[in-house]
Amino acid sequence: MDTGLAPESVLHSREVEEVLTGVPTSDGAGVKLTRVLSQPLQRRLDPFLMLDAFGSESANDYIAGFPNHPHRGFETITYMLFGRMRHRDSAGHEGLLENGGVQWMVAGRGVIHSEMPEQEEGRMEGFQLWLNLAAADKMSAPWYCDIPNAKLPQIQTPEGVGVTIIAGRSHGVEGAMQREKTEPLYLDVHLPPGSSFQQAIPSGHNAFLYVYHGEVAVGEKRERVAAGHMAILANQANADGVKLNAGSNARLILLAGRPLNEPIVQYGPFVMNTREEIEQAMVDYRNGRFVS
Ligand code: CO
């Protein structure tokens, strides 16, 4: 079958370095979520700072939402699989994020925003990822864009693997977003039973995947990673990508990026390079300098 796609050729797959489960926690005004990537992994998974997975049928777990809060020094990428969430920010922007859509926000020198559910029942499921900004870009002007599901590039491989390309490129197809310094790859991959999938990843980039449905076998060793687990993919010098196999239906997000190799200092919603810059962020926030 000619799909018009350029096959990803991976000669040597990365193997699983470590499998981790997230930590159940709550954030905002009491939204229940699982922190999959937390602060102790920021150095290992540079340029990624955080990944939260949320998924619940119960309104009590999400209805309180995320009222006004600030960010400075990084990017937030929210991928909403199911549900509706309204975003408002201090620059006067407003948008609705729903079923399968992505919001990509660069907080830069500072934004105050809220993310509130616009549903009182039904399933809400998705991910929020934090991606670091290079030191030179941390005080840049904030911006964001809403990308509805219909505008996200989606491909299907000859084996029937469905891929939504949020960032980076796969099988010769450009994703919705490209970022120059961190070169993030962000794929949502749906593998049907018995299928396999390959994705090229530069060996120097840090990479991980999080399975949210079913189970996937990773690498030549076919190490199994089940739903609710994250696998850090080893940076083997000879590996040029990753190979995945699925025995039954599996769904996962696959992420990779070029490390910034800069100091990381986080205090809550501020991520800078030095302690002094964090103190400055707190002073600026208290003095209303986050409102553009
Ligand atoms: Co936020």
Side-chain angles (χ1 to χ4, degrees):
M1 181 167 75
D2 180 10
T3 57
L5 298 174
E8 297 274 326
S9 62
V10 175
L11 287 176
H12 299 286
S13 176
R14 290 185 185 220
E15 301 294 344
V16 172
E17 176 178 304
E18 192 177 359
V19 175
L20 298 147
T21 51
V23 180
T25 183
S26 73
D27 208 338
V31 177
K32 287 208 179 123
L33 49 83
T34 303
R35 187 138 296 161
V36 177
L37 194 175
S38 54
Q39 245 170 307
L41 292 173
Q42 287 177 343
R43 178 54 57 196
R44 173 63 189 88
L45 293 175
D46 180 9
F48 300 105
L49 298 166
M50 193 189 83
L51 176 68
D52 284 344
F54 49 92
S56 178
E57 309 280 349
S58 166
N60 286 335
D61 291 344
Y62 58 72
I63 202 73
F66 301 87
N68 271 339
H69 60 277
H71 293 287
R72 173 180 279 184
F74 57 98
E75 316 186 22
T76 69
I77 301 112
T78 311
Y79 180 32
M80 183 73 86
L81 293 169
F82 297 103
R84 286 159 62 83
M85 188 103 89
R86 180 154 311 261
H87 163 264
R88 284 192 180 91
D89 73 25
S90 50
H93 302 125
E94 186 174 329
L96 187 64
L97 181 60
E98 60 186 335
N99 299 329
V102 169
Q103 188 206 60
W104 199 293
M105 182 180 83
V106 176
R109 63 176 174 253
V111 38
I112 301 168
H113 74 161
S114 63
E115 298 148 299
M116 300 300 289
E118 273 210 358
Q119 65 186 60
E120 284 166 7
E121 54 179 23
R123 183 155 190 80
M124 179 168 283
E125 181 176 11
F127 302 99
Q128 188 172 81
L129 177 73
W130 288 10
L131 171 64
N132 209 356
L133 281 167
D137 301 325
K138 282 186 179 288
M139 295 300 281
S140 61
W143 61 268
Y144 87 100
C145 62
D146 286 314
I147 312 160
N149 185 263
K151 293 257 173 71
L152 288 172
Q154 299 183 11
I155 59 170
Q156 193 170 49
T157 71
E159 287 189 56
V161 178
V163 188
T164 302
I165 311 167
I166 296 167
R169 71 169 36 230
S170 182
H171 294 73
V173 177
E174 286 269 306
M177 191 63 71
Q178 310 297 327
R179 304 292 288 143
E180 195 185 334
K181 290 187 185 164
T182 48
E183 295 177 34
L185 172 77
Y186 189 168
L187 306 179
D188 182 8
V189 184
H190 295 191
L191 295 110
S195 66
S196 63
F197 177 74
Q198 304 193 351
Q199 175 65 42
I201 300 170
S203 63
H205 289 199
N206 291 326
F208 64 99
L209 57 81
Y210 177 77
V211 180
Y212 65 93
H213 181 84
E215 183 180 276
V216 71
V218 181
E220 319 292 353
K221 294 180 186 163
R222 300 207 172 196
E223 179 157 349
R224 288 152 72 147
V225 183
H229 292 75
M230 166 200 214
I232 297 176
L233 304 177
N235 295 69
Q236 297 133 262
N238 69 337
D240 54 354
V242 67
K243 294 181 184 176
L244 306 175
N245 286 275
S248 55
N249 276 312
R251 296 184 171 205
L252 58 97
I253 52 174
L254 174 62
L255 291 130
R258 182 163 74 176
L260 291 165
N261 295 312
E262 292 175 354
I264 302 167
V265 183
Q266 176 177 2
Y267 183 79
F270 310 128
V271 184
M272 304 300 289
N273 302 106
T274 66
R275 189 71 230 163
E276 292 68 36
E277 289 168 345
I278 291 290
E279 281 159 16
Q280 188 62 50
M282 288 169 17
V283 168
D284 288 350
Y285 177 53
R286 275 200 299 269
N287 292 324
R289 290 190 207 122
F290 274 38
V291 180
S292 45

